[in-house]
Amino acid sequence: MYATTETLATSPAAQGGRSRWLALYTLCAGMLMIVLDVTVVNVALPAIQDDLGFTSSSLAWVVNAYLIAFGGLLLLAGRLGDLLGRRNIFTAGLVIFTAASVLCGLAQSQEVLVIARFVQGVGGALTSAVILGMIVTLFPEPRDQAKAIGVYAFVASAGGSIGLLAGGVLTQAINWHWIFFVNLPIGALTAVLAVKLIDKDKGLGLGRGTDVPGAVLITAALMVGVFTIVKPAAELGWTAPRTVVLGLVTLTLLAAFIVREATAANPLVPLRIFRSRNLTGANLVQALSSSGMFGIFFLGSLYLQRVLGYSALEIGLAFLPTTVVMGLLSVRYSEKLVMRFGPRRPLIAGLTLIVVGLLLFTQAPVGGNYFVHVLPVLVLLGLGGGVCFPALMGLSMADVKPEDAGLASGLIGTTAEVGAALGLAVLATLSATRTEAVASTKPALEALTDGYHLSFAIAAAIVAAAVAIAYTLMRPAKQAEETETETDDLVLDAA
């Protein structure tokens, strides 16, 4: 990595005597608040529907409004962190997210809640997009960086299952409004600590000109793409005319964005960053693994609820072993594994464990026993996630220069978000289609279970594809370094 005084957002030197680890925990607190919000809201949706009178179709906008803003702005937010200063973008996002959370909690109408959720998504994108970039500049030493990324990866990946428990407790003990109000003290405290513990970085600045057309094109492409996945594709099907038209619009906008970035003097997303096989491979793996994992947590929750009869609180408790195992590995052992074997081997091993867990889930029957049919799956998912996700985060940032750290951080977040939305839409649609196909020949619960089994098997195949990409495309750090040097030499010779 190459460092300059302007581009180092939170370098150890800039931190002076302040604790880098306290700064890390502050960043992770902001990330946890964002991650928790998604699953907390999902648990509270029935209560929100009853209180504000949403229909089943309009209720989806409580989730979709957030996802469209969040997924659409992540990449732009990451680049803005490089240009305007990552701490500035992080704290601005916290303020917007916290204020919007209060508005969500106060909402007494459907319109106010949906608009506030969209604004929440804007704040969430600004906050989360720059965190990984701040961490890698805060911890440049390989061992400390691996440990710090392990903590971050645990919060980013396991926070959702904590949200299931928190959502159940708050909704049942008080009311749904408090799933939003609790963000006020957390967000305010995190913003104050960020200002105190993380030195302000200058950023590259906007003096050389801002790629406004590129920003408009990529934001529009991602927003239209996420909307297509969560709305017409999920409700009308992938071959519906509306889905196809919006899909073509998304691809056209993406193509126009690539052309713009290839020709712009100061592109929003310099295409040179994709010359790194590790960065490109990490984002492909992130998209595929997020597709499989996010969809399975959603459909696994439905299996526990609809087939085994669990309550919201019981579902949250059921998923806790995944969180515990993932946290133990991410925080205590992932750094040792990465330092001992490099990031590529733990990544492949962890993804393989996830594949095994998903295949095992296809055997969960109607009337299944939690300790026999569910717990082993959740432990395997926790083991796999705890081993592979810290390694994946490290690989996604390994070849990135400091001035592009925010962009790379936003990129890995974008692929995770789009992958999760796509995976959920595809797996949920296939599950429902399978259930409908066998409903006339099997009892209702068996038909539901058949649908879930199909989705679990497809999720396993998706994650297996991620294993293949990690094995064939990614390279150990030393080999990647040598390849990059050879490429640079060829460019110099040609010049």
Side-chain angles (χ1 to χ4, degrees):
M1 282 189 170
Y2 307 96
T4 69
T5 55
E6 286 190 345
T7 58
L8 275 179
T10 49
S11 69
Q15 286 296 104
R18 295 174 180 173
S19 170
R20 294 180 298 161
W21 294 101
L22 285 177
L24 170 68
Y25 301 146
T26 300
L27 294 172
C28 287
M31 188 67 192
L32 181 61
M33 184 174 67
I34 305 301
V35 174
L36 286 177
D37 185 78
V38 177
T39 46
V40 164
V41 171
N42 284 340
V43 171
L45 284 176
I48 293 173
Q49 181 177 16
D50 293 340
D51 193 20
L52 298 185
F54 280 97
T55 63
S56 296
S57 59
S58 64
L59 183 65
W61 281 104
V62 177
V63 176
N64 292 346
Y66 180 91
L67 289 178
I68 290 169
F70 186 79
L73 290 170
L74 271 172
L75 191 58
L76 175 60
R79 193 54 174 167
L80 286 176
D82 294 330
L83 299 175
L84 302 177
R86 292 174 205 133
R87 197 193 74 171
N88 290 336
I89 297 300
F90 177 77
T91 52
L94 283 174
V95 171
I96 294 171
F97 184 89
T98 304
S101 295
V102 174
L103 186 59
C104 287
L106 295 173
Q108 298 297 321
S109 69
Q110 299 177 17
E111 295 77 13
V112 171
L113 180 59
V114 170
I115 292 171
R117 286 286 288 161
F118 184 89
V119 178
Q120 249 196 329
V122 174
L126 292 172
T127 298
S128 60
V130 296
I131 291 177
L132 189 57
M134 297 172 79
I135 290 174
V136 297
T137 50
L138 184 63
F139 296 91
E141 304 89 352
R143 183 174 295 277
D144 285 345
Q145 186 178 108
K147 187 173 183 179
I149 288 177
V151 175
Y152 165 80
F154 163 64
V155 171
S157 56
S161 56
I162 300 174
L164 291 173
L165 179 59
V169 171
L170 289 171
T171 303
Q172 292 185 14
I174 313 177
N175 56 56
W176 67 265
H177 297 275
W178 281 92
I179 67 172
F180 298 111
F181 286 145
V182 294
N183 290 332
L184 176 58
I186 299 172
L189 179 60
T190 303
V192 170
L193 290 175
V195 172
K196 288 183 173 295
L197 294 172
I198 304 171
D199 281 350
K200 185 176 181 180
D201 55 305
K202 192 174 181 181
L204 296 171
L206 302 176
R208 293 180 297 173
T210 306
D211 183 16
V212 176
V216 172
L217 285 170
I218 190 58
T219 302
L222 289 171
M223 283 191 172
V224 173
V226 173
F227 171 79
T228 304
I229 293 168
V230 301
K231 191 66 177 173
E235 295 181 1
L236 304 176
W238 291 93
T239 58
R242 189 178 181 190
T243 305
V244 173
V245 169
L246 288 174
L248 290 175
V249 170
T250 301
L251 293 176
T252 302
L253 288 169
L254 284 173
F257 170 72
I258 292 171
V259 171
R260 168 66 189 179
E261 299 311 281
T263 57
N266 296 297
L268 178 74
V269 181
L271 299 182
R272 56 179 163 74
I273 70 169
F274 294 106
R275 288 185 300 182
S276 167
R277 293 179 60 158
N278 282 339
L279 181 143
T280 302
N283 278 276
L284 290 173
V285 170
Q286 176 78 307
L288 291 170
S289 59
S290 296
S291 296
M293 288 287 284
F294 190 83
I296 288 312
F297 276 116
F298 177 79
L299 293 169
S301 298
L302 291 180
Y303 169 77
L304 294 177
Q305 179 187 28
R306 295 180 178 178
V307 178
L308 300 188
Y310 283 32
S311 67
L313 182 57
E314 288 172 332
I315 292 172
L317 291 171
F319 276 98
L320 271 184
T322 301
T323 306
V324 173
V325 173
M326 193 178 294
L328 182 63
L329 283 172
S330 298
V331 176
R332 290 188 61 86
Y333 298 107
S334 64
E335 167 257 333
K336 296 177 182 178
L337 290 172
V338 169
M339 296 307 297
R340 174 67 178 83
F341 300 105
R344 183 171 173 266
R345 289 181 182 178
L347 173 62
I348 294 172
L351 290 171
T352 302
L353 287 172
I354 291 173
V355 172
V356 174
L358 294 175
L359 290 176
L360 190 60
F361 216 176
T362 64
Q363 305 304 308
V366 174
N369 181 279
Y370 174 76
F371 293 100
V372 175
H373 302 107
V374 180
L375 181 60
V377 173
L378 298 181
V379 170
L380 283 171
L381 295 183
L383 287 170
V387 171
C388 79
F389 289 136
L392 180 62
M393 295 300 102
L395 280 167
S396 72
M397 305 295 292
D399 304 328
V400 178
K401 297 179 180 180
E403 61 265 29
D404 295 328
L407 170 62
S409 176
L411 181 62
I412 197 73
T414 300
T415 53
E417 186 68 22
V418 173
L422 183 62
L424 177 57
V426 170
L427 294 177
T429 300
L430 293 175
S431 176
T433 301
R434 173 65 177 174
T435 296
E436 291 174 7
V438 301
S440 60
T441 60
K442 293 185 177 182
L445 291 183
E446 286 189 19
L448 274 175
T449 304
D450 268 12
Y452 297 144
H453 284 175
L454 176 63
S455 291
F456 298 157
I458 294 173
I462 292 172
V463 180
V467 175
I469 289 175
Y471 183 79
T472 58
L473 186 60
M474 292 183 173
R475 296 184 177 183
K478 185 177 180 181
Q479 188 178 354
E481 215 172 275
E482 291 171 353
T483 302
E484 185 177 346
T485 301
E486 291 171 4
T487 303
D488 291 341
D489 289 342
L490 288 173
V491 171
L492 288 172
D493 290 342

